Amino acid sequence: MPSRQYATFEVDDQLFGVDVAQVQEVLRFHEYTRVPLAPTSVGGLFNLRGQVIAAVDLRVRLGLPGRDLAEPAMNVIVSVEDEWVSLLVDRIGEVIELDDEAFEPPPDTLHGAFRDLIVGTFKLEGRLMLALDARRAVETAAVDTDQGNLARTS
Amino acid sequence: MEELGEIIQEFLVESHENLDQLDRDLVALEQDPGSREMLSSIFRTIHTIKGTSGFLAFHRLETLTHAGESLLSRLRDGAQELTPESTDALLRMVDTVRTLLSTIEETNGEGDVDVDSVIAMVTACIEDPAAPKAAPAEAPSEASAETEPASGKPARKPAAKRTTTRAATKRTTKAAAAKAEPEPEPENAQMPEPAQVETPPLETALPAAAAPGALPTADETGGQPGGTRRSIAESSIRVDVDLLDALMRLVGELVLTRNQIMRGVGGGSDPTLVRTTQRLNLITSELQESVMKTRMQPIEHIWSKLPRVVRDLSSTLGKQVRLVMEGKETELDRSLLEAVKDPLTHLVRNAVDHGVETPEERAAAGKSAEGTLTLRAYHEGGHVIVEITDDGAGIDPTQIAETALTRGVATREQLARMDNREIFALLFQPGFSTAKKVTNVSGRGVGMDVVKTNIEQIGGAVDVDSAVGKGTTWRLTIPLTLAIIQALTVECGEETYAIPQVGVDELVFVDGQSGQIEHVSGAPVYRLRGKLLPLVRLDETLGLPARNSDRDVYIAVLQADGRRFGLVVDRVLNTEEIVVKPLTGRLKDVGVYAGATILGDGKVALILDIPSLARRSHLAAEAVERAEMDQVETRAAEGRIERLLIAGMGDRRVAIPLDMVTRLEEFAVDRIERVGAREVVQYRSQILPVIRLASLLGVYDTEPDGDTVPAVVYTERGRSVALVVQQIVDIVEDHIEARSDLDDDGLTGSAVIQQRVTELLDVRRAILAADPRFYAEMPDTMVGA
C-alpha cells in the first residue's frame, strides 16, 4: 500500500505535517534580523551556514497573533521552488509514516486561513493532523496587503 | 600585455589556435595531397588571419598571408598540384606568420621580421612549382610577372620602406629586372633553396625574425633576465562561466569566514594567530579581487556593434547621425553585459528613429544637419550608468499626456497631478507609443516596456529625461550584482543595515551644537558647508519607532539618481566587505532593500537600496530647492561670500574654494605610486592622478614626514584628481574683501582671511597639472555615420 512520511509539528496546539521530502532540516534558532516594511508573516532573516533564510511565521499565516522572536523558535526548513524557506513553528513532532488511504480532504468546518494552507487531513490516534501545503504556506507577498500599502504610502 | 588592445589579444589567441590546426592540416595534407577539403580549411584560416591583420594594419602579416592565400587558392581550385616544395613554402609561411604574431605580442608591432624572402618563396611556387629545380634563370621572371597583380604591390611596399631586409630587397629588384638581366643565377638560385632543404624552415626563419622582437622585450622586462613572456595562447584558456560562478560563490563564503575570524581574533593576545589572520586577510582580498576580474568585461564588447547599427539605420532613414562613445572601458560583470545588450540596442535604434530629426527638420530648427548620439558609461553609487543621449527633437510631455489619455493609460485627474518625470515614466507603460507612424524599426508599441522589464529583471532601472527641442537622455542604471562590495554598516533601531560604500560621499556627526537638523517647510534638512542637504530619516522610512532627539546622530551623505541627500541613522559602525545575497522574491517588493548580507558576527543585515531612498528624499529636495531660491536672493543682497578650505604649506596659507573639494582624504605615503613622471594613488578602484601642492607652488622644503598625507579629492564628470597638501587648517566662510592680484604661478591672487594673508589657489591650473586631460571633453571614440 502506498504510504508517505510526514514531518510533524505543532502550531497553537494543532498538529501539522509536511512531506518529509520537502523538509531540509529542523533547527532551533534565535537572532532573527527583522525586515521593516516586510509583510508581518516574514518573521525575519537568519544565517544558515552562510545562506540567508527568510523565516515565515506560520502563526501569522494561520491568522494568529505573531510570535515573539526575542525567544528561540523552532524552524522547519522547507525547500520550495529551489529556495529554502523556514517555517516558524511552536513544537516539533515525530516523523510518521501514513498510508495514502488515510488521507481525507480538508473538512468544511475549517475556516479561512487554515483552509487555504491545508491540502488534507489524516486521522491519527486521538488527534487530527493537517497536511500543510508548504508552497502556499511560505507565500507571503499575497497576504498582508494592508501592511504593504501602509509601507508604500509612508 | 595590457597595452595591447582587447581586439589584438583576441586576434592573437585565435590565430595561435588556428595555426596549430594549420600545422596539423598541412602535414596531413602531405599524406593526402589531393584533399580539397583540407586545402579549403587551410585557405580559410589564412584568409581569416589576412583579413584581421589588414583591419589591424599589420601590413607585413597581411602581405605574407596574401601571398600564401594566392598559392592556396590555386591548390584548392586544382590549378596546380601540391608538391613538397609548395608544402615547404607554406609551412615556412606559417612559421613566419607565427613569428610575426609573437613579435606583435611582445612589441605591439611587427618589428623587422623578414617576410619578403618567404613571400618570394611562396610566389615562386605559384604557377611553376618546378622552377627551382629546372631553369632558375627563367623561373623568377615568370613568377614575378605572373604574380605581379596578386602580390607584387604589397610585397614591394615594405621592401621600399625598410632597408633592413637586404635579401628581400635584392630579390625584388632582381625579379623586376629579371627580363632585362641575363645573369640572375647567384641570387635567384639562393632563394628557392630553403624550400628544398629537409630541416624545418622554422630554423631558417627564426633567427633573423625573432631577434629584433626578442631584444626589446628583454630590455623592457629589465630586472628579469631570461624571463621570457609566455605567449598569449599559452597563458590563456577558456573557462566555463559556471565554474567562475562557483568560484565566486566560494570566495564569497571565504570572505565571510575571514570576517568572522578577524572579528574573533581582533583583540587576541596570541601574536602568531594575529599575524596569520592578517595574512589570511590579505590573501582573501587578493583572491577575491582576482576572481572578480575574471568575470569583468568592458562595455565596449556590446558597444562595438552599435556604430554599424547607427550607420545602417540612419542611412535607411535619411538621417545624419554621429555616434560618440564615452567610457567604453567601463567594466561590467559578464552576465550583466549579456542582459544589457538587447535593451541598449533597442534604445539606440529608438534614438536614431525617433530622437534625431531629419537634416531638413534640424536645419529648420537651427541645428546642424548632423545629429549626435552619445553613449556614456560610468560608475555611480554602486551601479553602472549607461546613458543614451541624442540632441534631437526631445519628447513633449503634453503629447505624452494626450496619448496616455487616448490610450487609457492614465486619467485626466492622474495626469494633472503628475510632474514631468512621472509623465515620462508613462513611456514605459505596456502598449504605449508616441510615434506618428509605425516604422519597421521601432514604434510598434512594444519596446520601451520590454526594455524596462529586461533591465528590471537584472535589478536595474531605466528612466528618461527630455527637453523639447534639445534632446532626450535615456538612462540605464545597472546594478553591480557582483557578489562582493564595500559597504558601510550603520545602526538604526535595533538592527544593522549595510549601505553600498560607492554611494556614500561622506559622513557627518550631528552633535546638536555645531550643527543641527533643521526643517524647511516640514522637511528635514541639514546645512552642510553652507548648502542645504535634504534628509531622509531611516527610522521613519522603515516605519520604526522614531527617536526622541536629533542629537548625536549620524548623517550619511549619499548620492543616487543624480541627487545628493543625507540619511539619518543612529550610529555608524564600520566599513566592511560584504557578500551580496539576493533577496528572496517575497521581500523585493518592499523596495527599500537591495539585498541581504551576513556580517562578521554571523548576523544577517539588510542592504539598503540608495536609489529608492533617494526617491523618498524627493519631498525634502523640493523644499530645499525652494529654500535655496530664497537664499540666492538674500545672498545677492549680502554680497559675495566664499567658502574656502585653508591648507597650510609651511608658513604659507593657501585657500581652495570649497566647491572644488569633493572629499578630503588621507593617503598613506607609501601608497602613492609613480607612473612615468607622474604620481598616482589607487583610490576606489580608480587610478587617481596626484599633484602635490608644494611642488605646484614651488615649495620644496615642506615634505611631510608622517605616514599619511592629507589630500583634497576633486571629482567632475567621473574624473578625479587628488591635491596633496601639507596640512588642512580650517574651513572658512567669509567675505573676501582685501584682495591683491599677486600674479604668481599657480595662484590667482591673495586675500586676507581670518586676519592672515592667504594665497588663493588657481584650481584649474592645479587640476591640469595633475591631469592634463581633465577638462578635455574629448570623447573616446567618434564614429561618423
Side-chain angles (χ1 to χ4, degrees):
Chain A
M1 187 176 293
S3 64
R4 216 178 277 199
Q5 286 192 315
Y6 285 87
T8 63
F9 46 84
E10 283 179 23
V11 178
D12 197 31
D13 292 328
Q14 170 61 54
L15 190 67
F16 291 91
V18 285
D19 191 340
V20 160
Q22 275 189 296
V23 177
Q24 299 301 321
E25 64 184 290
V26 171
L27 78 160
R28 179 178 294 275
F29 201 85
H30 57 104
E31 287 222 338
Y32 297 90
T33 299
R34 252 152 287 237
V35 187
L37 305 186
T40 45
S41 56
V42 177
L45 302 174
F46 68 99
N47 166 15
L48 177 68
R49 294 187 302 276
Q51 247 189 302
V52 175
I53 308 272
V56 174
D57 189 343
L58 205 48
R59 280 172 163 273
V60 178
R61 292 292 289 129
L62 293 170
L64 302 166
R67 178 180 306 275
D68 176 12
L69 282 170
E71 287 164 24
M74 281 309 291
N75 293 266
V76 177
I77 298 185
V78 292
S79 165
V80 176
E81 284 157 8
D82 289 336
E83 193 187 356
W84 287 14
V85 187
S86 158
L87 291 171
L88 294 173
V89 303
D90 294 357
R91 256 182 311 279
I92 199 78
E94 297 167 356
V95 173
I96 48 175
E97 183 145 0
L98 295 170
D99 294 341
D100 283 359
E101 252 182 24
F103 177 85
E104 283 172 36
D108 297 337
T109 48
L110 262 188
H111 55 272
F114 273 73
R115 175 83 207 215
D116 291 343
L117 307 184
I118 300 304
V119 282
T121 61
F122 288 94
K123 280 206 186 72
L124 308 184
E125 284 167 41
R127 68 191 304 195
L128 198 68
M129 190 201 86
L130 303 179
L132 195 69
D133 181 339
R135 198 179 49 80
R136 271 198 232 151
V138 299
E139 258 173 31
T140 53
V143 291
D144 295 313
T145 39
D146 289 355
Q147 175 86 14
N149 286 342
L150 268 180
R152 244 156 257 138
T153 48
S154 68
Chain B
M1 216 151 300
E2 292 88 323
E3 71 270 22
L4 281 186
E6 197 86 24
I7 301 174
I8 298 183
Q9 284 216 25
E10 267 173 26
F11 165 60
L12 289 174
V13 172
E14 233 175 67
S15 304
H16 275 300
E17 279 172 10
N18 287 341
L19 285 177
D20 289 343
Q21 180 63 39
L22 208 62
D23 271 351
R24 287 192 292 275
D25 285 356
L26 277 172
V27 175
L29 197 62
E30 260 186 327
Q31 315 295 320
D32 179 15
S35 170
R36 289 279 138 75
E37 201 184 319
M38 209 86 87
L39 277 166
S40 308
S41 154
I42 296 169
F43 176 82
R44 276 197 302 275
T45 307
I46 292 296
H47 182 77
T48 307
I49 296 178
K50 181 188 110 171
T52 320
S53 56
F55 172 67
L56 294 173
F58 293 128
H59 294 301
R60 278 159 186 255
L61 193 54
E62 188 186 11
T63 321
L64 176 66
T65 44
H66 180 86
E69 195 189 71
S70 308
L71 174 57
L72 280 163
S73 73
R74 288 184 63 83
L75 294 170
R76 182 194 57 179
D77 300 341
Q80 63 185 85
E81 285 297 313
L82 185 71
T83 61
E85 284 81 6
S86 40
T87 307
D88 279 348
L90 287 172
L91 278 172
R92 186 160 166 201
M93 177 206 64
V94 171
D95 289 331
T96 314
V97 167
R98 202 174 300 234
T99 313
L100 272 168
L101 289 175
S102 344
T103 312
I104 289 167
E105 188 176 333
E106 280 159 14
T107 65
N108 215 355
E110 292 183 292
D112 291 325
V113 178
D114 173 21
V115 293
D116 297 326
S117 64
V118 188
I119 292 172
M121 196 171 136
V122 172
T123 45
C125 292
I126 296 178
E127 177 72 349
D128 193 355
K133 276 184 223 154
E138 283 171 35
S141 61
E142 263 184 53
S144 70
E146 173 65 30
T147 57
E148 190 77 32
S151 66
K153 195 182 117 223
R156 229 170 275 162
K157 235 196 219 160
K161 276 187 188 157
R162 304 184 192 226
T163 50
T164 41
T165 51
R166 283 176 312 259
T169 318
K170 262 191 210 160
R171 168 73 182 86
T172 326
T173 29
K174 284 291 176 194
K179 278 173 197 153
E181 183 80 310
E183 307 155 2
E185 282 102 321
E187 281 86 2
N188 285 326
Q190 271 175 1
M191 291 321 298
E193 210 162 0
Q196 290 165 320
V197 189
E198 283 297 297
T199 49
L202 183 66
E203 283 177 28
T204 47
L206 254 180
L215 278 174
T217 319
D219 288 345
E220 272 169 32
T221 44
Q224 316 165 7
T228 45
R229 290 208 238 170
R230 276 177 302 168
S231 76
I232 285 179
E234 277 168 14
S235 63
S236 76
I237 51 166
R238 284 161 201 255
V239 181
D240 192 344
V241 177
D242 286 346
L243 181 61
L244 291 182
D245 287 343
L247 261 179
M248 196 69 201
R249 270 198 305 279
L250 284 172
V251 167
E253 297 309 321
L254 183 64
V255 166
L256 284 180
T257 317
R258 186 265 321 257
N259 291 354
Q260 279 164 25
I261 288 184
M262 297 253 299
R263 197 170 287 216
V265 170
S269 51
D270 182 347
T272 322
L273 184 59
V274 170
R275 258 204 312 282
T276 316
T277 313
Q278 279 166 356
R279 180 118 191 85
L280 173 72
N281 182 17
L282 281 176
I283 295 171
T284 312
S285 304
E286 272 174 38
L287 178 65
Q288 176 196 330
E289 206 169 300
S290 312
V291 171
M292 297 225 288
K293 272 194 198 142
T294 61
R295 302 179 46 89
M296 300 297 272
Q297 280 183 321
I299 197 161
E300 197 179 355
H301 274 257
I302 53 171
W303 279 7
S304 57
K305 291 197 176 62
L306 294 175
R308 178 70 196 274
V309 169
V310 169
R311 200 204 74 86
D312 288 359
L313 190 55
S314 53
S315 64
T316 311
L317 298 168
K319 295 180 180 179
Q320 294 173 24
V321 183
R322 191 171 64 106
L323 182 63
V324 179
M325 299 186 186
E326 293 174 18
K328 60 181 178 180
E329 67 287 341
T330 309
E331 287 194 322
L332 262 177
D333 190 272
R334 206 198 115 86
S335 54
L336 287 175
L337 272 184
E338 270 310 303
V340 170
K341 195 160 122 194
D342 288 346
L344 185 69
T345 312
H346 187 92
L347 287 174
V348 166
R349 294 175 73 94
N350 186 72
V352 176
D353 192 9
H354 299 313
V356 179
E357 317 93 318
T358 60
E360 299 79 49
E361 283 168 342
R362 290 184 67 88
K367 299 187 196 175
S368 64
E370 188 184 55
T372 305
L373 182 62
T374 310
L375 293 179
R376 191 178 289 122
Y378 55 94
H379 286 272
E380 187 193 274
H383 291 86
V384 170
I385 313 284
V386 183
E387 288 177 353
I388 300 108
T389 305
D390 66 63
D391 63 349
I395 305 171
D396 186 357
T398 43
Q399 203 189 327
I400 299 177
E402 272 170 35
T403 316
L405 209 57
T406 51
R407 302 264 159 103
V409 177
T411 65
R412 201 172 288 280
E413 292 73 37
Q414 282 173 322
L415 288 168
R417 278 201 306 273
M418 284 183 181
D419 59 21
N420 277 358
R421 201 186 168 85
E422 288 165 317
I423 287 178
F424 284 137
L426 292 174
L427 288 171
F428 298 106
Q429 294 283 337
F432 193 98
S433 172
T434 52
K436 288 197 195 84
K437 59 177 181 204
V438 169
T439 67
N440 65 346
V441 180
S442 49
R444 264 174 295 196
V446 296
M448 284 313 155
D449 58 319
V450 177
V451 166
K452 186 177 156 79
T453 319
N454 286 352
I455 294 295
E456 283 181 349
Q457 256 166 15
I458 55 165
V462 52
D463 61 80
V464 58
D465 199 9
S466 184
V468 177
K470 295 224 174 87
T472 308
T473 296
W474 301 87
R475 188 179 294 105
L476 301 180
T477 309
I478 304 154
L480 292 177
T481 51
L482 277 184
I484 303 170
I485 57 165
Q486 278 280 345
L488 179 76
T489 47
V490 300
E491 206 176 66
C492 192
E494 286 162 12
E495 300 288 358
T496 303
Y497 299 90
I499 304 172
Q501 180 76 51
V502 248
V504 181
D505 271 1
E506 62 184 299
L507 296 170
V508 181
F509 177 60
V510 184
D511 58 8
Q513 286 168 7
S514 61
Q516 57 189 1
I517 293 174
E518 303 165 42
H519 288 86
V520 175
S521 29
V525 295
Y526 180 77
R527 207 173 285 276
L528 179 67
R529 291 189 290 274
K531 273 192 184 160
L532 288 180
L533 182 73
L535 295 181
V536 174
R537 292 177 193 272
L538 187 57
D539 51 1
E540 198 180 290
T541 309
L542 297 181
L544 302 171
R547 77 179 75 65
N548 36 30
S549 107
D550 275 337
R551 287 190 60 171
D552 299 340
V553 295
Y554 286 86
I555 296 173
V557 182
L558 309 177
Q559 186 124 23
D561 287 353
R563 219 179 260 160
R564 223 163 108 95
F565 69 101
L567 185 71
V568 185
V569 298
D570 293 356
R571 236 155 43 98
V572 171
L573 300 176
N574 206 352
T575 25
E576 58 185 288
E577 271 170 350
I578 60 167
V579 180
V580 180
K581 307 265 180 184
L583 265 193
T584 141
R586 63 201 86 241
L587 297 180
K588 263 187 203 135
D589 297 342
V590 176
V592 201
Y593 309 117
T597 188
I598 296 168
L599 297 178
D601 61 1
K603 274 202 79 171
V604 174
L606 289 158
I607 303 168
L608 297 174
D609 185 40
I610 302 181
S612 86
L613 289 171
R615 284 193 284 279
R616 282 158 206 263
S617 74
H618 197 59
L619 271 181
E622 278 177 359
V624 165
E625 268 167 36
R626 279 195 301 275
E628 269 175 351
M629 296 284 276
D630 298 345
Q631 225 179 31
V632 168
E633 283 160 23
T634 44
R635 198 178 299 162
E638 280 170 16
R640 184 182 166 90
I641 295 182
E642 283 190 47
R643 279 175 213 96
L644 299 160
L645 176 86
I646 312 292
M649 297 303 305
D651 293 339
R652 294 161 66 176
R653 283 160 63 99
V654 179
I656 302 166
L658 212 51
D659 292 344
M660 307 303 279
V661 179
T662 309
R663 286 173 76 100
L664 294 178
E665 290 283 349
E666 289 268 332
F667 289 129
V669 174
D670 54 13
R671 275 184 52 217
I672 298 179
E673 301 169 60
R674 294 199 80 89
V675 171
R678 300 185 177 283
E679 287 187 307
V680 297
V681 66
Q682 294 178 35
Y683 178 70
R684 298 178 167 202
S685 57
Q686 274 188 4
I687 295 173
L688 197 61
V690 169
I691 180 76
R692 288 175 192 268
L693 191 56
S695 56
L696 186 73
L697 298 181
V699 186
Y700 291 104
D701 54 347
T702 56
E703 279 305 307
D705 34 39
D707 289 339
T708 62
V709 285
V712 172
V713 176
Y714 176 61
T715 306
E716 194 181 311
R717 294 192 309 269
R719 289 182 88 94
S720 303
V721 295
L723 186 63
V724 168
V725 299
Q726 192 188 21
Q727 182 195 359
I728 289 171
V729 180
D730 201 0
I731 291 173
V732 298
E733 184 171 330
D734 213 349
H735 292 265
I736 295 176
E737 283 150 4
R739 223 185 237 274
S740 84
D741 286 336
L742 190 87
D743 202 11
D744 199 358
D745 236 7
L747 299 171
T748 54
S750 59
V752 176
I753 297 170
Q754 292 179 330
Q755 287 91 51
R756 284 197 56 177
V757 173
T758 305
E759 293 156 76
L760 305 172
L761 183 71
D762 180 348
V763 176
R764 196 184 150 83
R765 224 199 117 220
I767 288 170
L768 286 176
D771 181 358
R773 293 192 53 219
F774 193 87
Y775 291 105
E777 261 191 291
M778 280 286 290
D780 293 341
T781 317
M782 287 197 186
V783 182

